[in-house]
């Protein structure tokens, strides 16, 4: 790899691109096109993303942290609309959050200059994916890294049949203390509470955390911003072509059931996931493509 700032490294069983740029450092796994570290100078080169201290880098297993890609369905298949469930022949073996995050992606393009580094990874349908999901597609994960993190996931329907997807950029974020962390700009939004029989509720005021939280929020606009306030930082999460977001913290009991996760990790992390889920799921006709994107920008840090 003949680039000024990018080099190929190996993290146990997984190849990765390590980027060392004057403005930031980053690590991008080829498996799942999973960005696991983004360390901008503006954040004293600390990771803006949360990465499990017990992360395992094994072929075919998603890593807990960074931004896993949930595609071509979010969550458990049986919690998706029928239009998405009916596309899968072998429902019982369908992995949670789809298969894109467990597969090896290819490097399609790298561009770098003194201001930013742009990396595009791609995943195309093949006999393996068609066993899991019988459609022709090309996925592109486009990262533009500088002082901010921009990540766009582009789905192209390269076949002759329409297909429907739900998806999420499953962003893990760190906090010094979940009990003193708040998410602004979701007030008055409708959300589905996955922990209370998937009932529809209204968000009153800012989102705070005092127990296991697993909610699917819905927004009027196709572009919306959320602000995460933690004891040491304020982070802007700008979303495009998404009218839904998942907010998750496993708290005590679920933490005990999670892989690559220690019992007290829940105190130091949360997920804010830019999504197209449930009523915001997407139908893509033959020859068409859609894009969902997120930008993380540090608003302020103490
Ligand atoms: O996005 C929230 C969620 O669906 C939770 O219900 C929990 O399952 C989380 O994703 C992590 O899922 P994973 O398969 O990565 O352990």
């Amino acid at each position: 790899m003949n680039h000024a700032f990018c080099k190929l490294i190996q993290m146990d069983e997984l190849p990765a691109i390590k980027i060392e740029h004057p403005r930031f450092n980053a690590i991008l796994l080829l498996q799942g096109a999973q960005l696991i570290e983004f360390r901008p100078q503006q954040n004293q080169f600390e990771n803006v993303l949360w990465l499990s201290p017990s992360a395992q880098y094994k072929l075919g297993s998603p890593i807990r942290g960074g931004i896993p890609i949930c595609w071509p369905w979010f969550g458990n298949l049986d919690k998706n609309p029928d239009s998405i469930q009916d596309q899968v022949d072998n429902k019982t073996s369908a992995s949670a959050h789809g298969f894109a995050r467990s597969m090896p992606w290819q490097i399609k393009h790298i561009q770098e200059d003194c201001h930013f580094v742009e990396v595009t990874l791609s995943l195309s349908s093949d006999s393996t994916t068609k066993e899991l999901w019988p459609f022709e597609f090309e996925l592109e994960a486009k990262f533009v890294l500088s002082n901010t993190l921009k990540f766009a996931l582009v789905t192209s329907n390269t076949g002759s049949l329409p297909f429907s997807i739900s998806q999420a950029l499953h962003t893990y974020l760190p906090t010094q203390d979940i009990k003193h962390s708040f998410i602004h700009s979701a007030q008055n939004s409708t959300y589905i509470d996955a922990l209370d029989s998937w009932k529809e509720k209204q968000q009153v005021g800012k989102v705070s955390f005092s127990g296991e939280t697993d909610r699917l929020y819905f927004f009027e606009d196709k572009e919306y911003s959320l602000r995460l306030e933690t004891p040491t930082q304020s982070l802007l999460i700008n979303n495009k072509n998404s009218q839904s977001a998942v907010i998750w913290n496993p708290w005590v009991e679920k933490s005990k059931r999670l892989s690559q996760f220690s019992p007290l990790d829940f105190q130091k992390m949360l997920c804010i996931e830019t999504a197209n889920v449930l009523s915001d799921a997407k139908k893509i006709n033959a020859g068409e493509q859609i894009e969902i994107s997120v930008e993380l920008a540090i608003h302020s840090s103490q």
Side-chain angles (χ1 to χ4, degrees), residues 173-182 208-210 228-233 249 251 264-270:
L173 297 165
T175 176
Q176 293 294 316
D177 181 354
I178 189 65
K179 291 177 182 166
H180 292 91
S181 298
F182 307 97
S208 59
F209 300 86
S210 56
L228 171 62
E229 175 196 351
T230 71
T232 58
Q233 188 175 79
N249 182 280
W251 218 253
L264 299 182
D265 281 343
F266 76 92
Q267 296 174 342
K268 302 287 189 185
M269 56 68 70
L270 69 155

Side-chain angles (χ1 to χ4, degrees), residues 62-65 68 70 74-76 95-97 101 168 170 172 194-195 198 212-216 246-250 254 257-259 271 273:
I63 287 78
R64 190 160 312 279
C70 304
F74 168 80
N76 293 324
S95 308
H97 294 318
R101 63 177 180 165
H170 197 294
Y172 283 80
L195 302 172
W198 292 68
E212 185 179 353
T213 306
D214 198 345
R215 300 175 182 176
L216 294 77
V246 181
I247 293 177
W248 177 59
N249 182 280
K254 178 130 189 188
R257 304 195 298 272
L258 289 175
S259 61
C271 285
E273 308 162 33

Side-chain angles (χ1 to χ4, degrees), residues 24-25 29 42 51 61 103 114 120 132 138 142 179 183 186 201 206 214 219 237-238 242 257 264 300:
F24 69 93
N25 295 330
L29 297 172
Q42 197 183 3
L51 179 61
S61 300
M103 296 218 157
C114 60
T120 300
L132 302 167
E138 181 178 19
K142 297 182 176 180
K179 291 177 182 166
I183 300 171
K201 299 179 180 178
K206 60 194 176 187
D214 198 345
F219 305 97
I237 300 135
N238 303 321
S242 157
R257 304 195 298 272
L264 299 182
S300 70

Side-chain angles (χ1 to χ4, degrees), residues 232-243:
T232 58
Q233 188 175 79
S234 178
L235 184 74
L236 280 179
I237 300 135
N238 303 321
N239 308 286
K240 286 186 180 173
N241 299 320
S242 157
Q243 292 179 264

Side-chain angles (χ1 to χ4, degrees), residues 101-285:
R101 63 177 180 165
S102 311
M103 296 218 157
W105 292 48
Q106 306 302 315
I107 299 173
K108 182 163 189 178
H109 172 76
I110 292 178
Q111 182 182 337
E112 28 179 39
D113 75 17
C114 60
H115 302 290
F116 69 89
V117 172
E118 183 175 323
V119 180
T120 300
L121 302 184
S122 65
L123 178 73
S124 298
S125 50
D126 62 15
S127 56
T128 304
T129 64
K130 285 182 191 158
E131 282 291 306
L132 302 167
W133 196 65
F135 297 98
E136 314 258 346
F137 67 87
E138 181 178 19
L139 270 182
E140 287 184 326
K142 297 182 176 180
F143 298 90
V144 180
L145 304 176
S146 183
N147 297 328
T148 65
L149 184 175
K150 292 178 184 169
F151 172 23
L153 182 67
V154 181
T155 298
S156 300
N157 182 340
T158 53
S160 57
L161 296 172
F163 56 63
S164 295
I165 63 168
S166 58
Q167 58 183 345
L169 310 179
H170 197 294
T171 305
Y172 283 80
L173 297 165
T175 176
Q176 293 294 316
D177 181 354
I178 189 65
K179 291 177 182 166
H180 292 91
S181 298
F182 307 97
I183 300 171
H184 301 271
S185 318
Q187 61 274 7
N188 309 321
S189 298
T190 299
Y191 68 89
I192 301 280
D193 188 340
L195 302 172
D196 185 7
S197 311
W198 292 68
K199 282 180 194 153
E200 188 173 294
K201 299 179 180 178
Q202 295 298 319
Q203 179 60 39
V204 177
K206 60 194 176 187
V207 181
S208 59
F209 300 86
S210 56
E212 185 179 353
T213 306
D214 198 345
R215 300 175 182 176
L216 294 77
Y217 283 83
F218 294 87
F219 305 97
E220 294 300 316
D221 300 330
K222 285 188 180 236
E223 287 191 32
Y224 63 90
S225 293
L226 297 172
R227 183 168 69 82
L228 171 62
E229 175 196 351
T230 71
T232 58
Q233 188 175 79
S234 178
L235 184 74
L236 280 179
I237 300 135
N238 303 321
N239 308 286
K240 286 186 180 173
N241 299 320
S242 157
Q243 292 179 264
S244 49
V246 181
I247 293 177
W248 177 59
N249 182 280
W251 218 253
V252 176
E253 290 314 312
K254 178 130 189 188
S255 294
K256 296 172 184 172
R257 304 195 298 272
L258 289 175
S259 61
Q260 305 174 61
F261 206 78
S262 300
L264 299 182
D265 281 343
F266 76 92
Q267 296 174 342
K268 302 287 189 185
M269 56 68 70
L270 69 155
C271 285
I272 302 177
E273 308 162 33
T274 308
N276 292 136
V277 293
L278 297 181
S279 59
D280 189 28
K282 298 296 178 190
K283 179 180 179 182
I284 308 166
N285 293 316

